[in-house]
Amino acid sequence: MHLMMDDQGGNNAVTREYRKGNWTVNETMVLIEAKEMDYERRMKRSGDHSEGRNKPTELRWKWVEDYCWGKGCLRSQNQCNDKWDNLMRDYKKVREYQRKVAEREGNDSKQRSYWEMEKNERKEKSLPSNMLRQIYERLEEVVEKKGAQTVAATAGGGGGSDPNITNLPYVMDRPMVSTFQPSLPPLLQHQLSAPIPAAIPLPLPQASPQLPPPPAPIIQPPPLSYAQPLPTIAQILIQVSIQTHQQREGEEVVAMAKAPVGLQTT
């Protein structure tokens, strides 16, 4: 592929023939170095708004292309951009998998490291099949370095992070305290500055005396009923005989009282 482009002066035309096909290990390492240098360059110019980190993305990748071209990596800025996106995608997958393996080492996990698996096993786990360890370690170095620089720049007021690198640590600053105090009229200022009188404690309500509970009612036991035996026939006859005898004696006394005196002496 050929591309016509002007130099910085805009006078001379330069023809570049970009290489096609798969990226070699050397080309990939050059691209990683170019991204590292580009980030450091933009961090140093973060105070200059004209050439700082707010440059358009196309100009950034144009600088990356020029850097790679000077190192013998004959790739276009679009090729560099696409390759970097693929590298970061694969790097994040491997990094996350390795983190889970490290967490499960203490639990007697039989899960193997990414570098111990074959390509077919990596595909079964939806992992990149051809990530080289030297490329992964180089990317890890750049990402950690970039994260540390971004945190330092954020703490010092240097701006935000690079959108191409995610999962950077956050810096929690102390909460800001506002020192703004609105001006008040002298009368209100005097009222606000006057000491507030201490609160007078209110008397606690006295508890009403409790009356003793009423005595429990005395429950009288029910009277015992004693059943008297019925009189026998002999007792009834004797009682009748006694009553008859008494009745006769009473009749005799009445008759004697009515008789004349002469008859009584005889």
Side-chain angles (χ1 to χ4, degrees):
M1 180 178 70
H2 299 281
L3 176 64
M4 296 298 296
M5 54 181 299
D6 295 334
D7 61 2
Q8 296 180 356
N11 298 323
N12 299 324
V14 179
T15 302
R16 284 184 176 179
E17 183 177 356
Y18 299 112
R19 182 179 177 276
K20 299 181 181 179
N22 296 330
W23 285 63
T24 64
V25 176
N26 182 63
E27 288 178 327
T28 305
M29 300 297 286
V30 170
L31 174 62
I32 298 174
E33 180 182 350
K35 284 295 297 180
E36 181 181 20
M37 298 301 296
D38 175 59
Y39 185 78
E40 293 180 355
R41 176 181 64 90
R42 290 186 289 112
M43 286 292 294
K44 292 179 180 178
R45 298 180 180 181
S46 59
D48 187 353
H49 297 287
S50 61
E51 297 186 4
R53 300 170 62 188
N54 296 325
K55 272 190 174 183
T57 306
E58 296 179 357
L59 297 181
R60 297 181 189 176
W61 287 106
K62 173 61 175 60
W63 187 93
V64 172
E65 175 188 334
D66 293 340
Y67 185 92
C68 291
W69 195 270
K71 295 289 184 176
C73 178
L74 309 181
R75 300 286 182 169
S76 66
Q77 58 179 339
N78 293 334
Q79 288 176 310
C80 294
N81 193 350
D82 294 340
K83 181 61 177 179
W84 180 256
D85 292 341
N86 294 335
L87 284 174
M88 292 307 303
R89 180 196 60 196
D90 295 344
Y91 166 77
K92 292 173 186 176
K93 289 182 179 180
V94 176
R95 181 186 61 180
E96 182 64 17
Y97 177 81
Q98 290 295 99
R99 183 186 63 83
K100 293 180 180 179
V101 171
E103 291 177 353
R104 297 174 183 175
E105 285 183 356
N107 301 330
D108 298 333
S109 175
K110 297 181 180 179
Q111 194 171 10
R112 297 194 301 170
S113 171
Y114 174 84
W115 314 113
E116 299 174 354
M117 294 187 294
E118 300 294 335
K119 288 187 176 182
N120 56 349
E121 188 176 356
R122 294 174 179 176
K123 290 181 180 180
E124 292 177 357
K125 297 181 180 296
S126 300
L127 295 173
S129 60
N130 56 350
M131 170 68 77
L132 298 179
R133 191 160 191 170
Q134 64 185 98
I135 294 178
Y136 175 84
E137 293 177 352
R138 185 70 176 97
L139 285 171
E140 187 177 30
E141 178 184 351
V142 173
V143 169
E144 291 181 356
K145 179 180 179 181
K146 198 169 187 179
Q149 292 177 349
T150 303
V151 171
T154 304
S161 61
D162 191 339
N164 294 320
I165 301 295
T166 57
N167 298 329
L168 298 177
Y170 294 92
V171 177
M172 300 301 294
D173 296 332
R174 292 179 296 176
M176 299 179 63
V177 180
S178 175
T179 57
F180 173 74
Q181 296 181 356
S183 58
L184 298 176
L187 180 60
L188 293 179
Q189 292 181 359
H190 173 72
Q191 293 178 356
L192 292 177
S193 61
I196 301 176
I200 301 175
L202 298 176
L204 298 176
Q206 298 180 357
S208 57
Q210 298 181 355
L211 299 177
I218 301 176
I219 302 176
Q220 297 291 342
L224 300 176
S225 60
Y226 299 93
Q228 298 180 359
L230 296 176
T232 61
I233 298 177
Q235 292 177 349
I236 294 175
L237 293 177
I238 293 173
Q239 186 68 23
V240 171
S241 177
I242 293 174
Q243 292 179 356
T244 303
H245 180 71
Q246 291 177 353
Q247 185 178 3
R248 287 180 181 178
E249 287 182 352
E251 291 178 353
E252 290 179 358
V253 172
V254 172
M256 290 179 65
K258 291 180 179 181
V261 177
L263 295 176
Q264 294 178 357
T265 54
T266 59

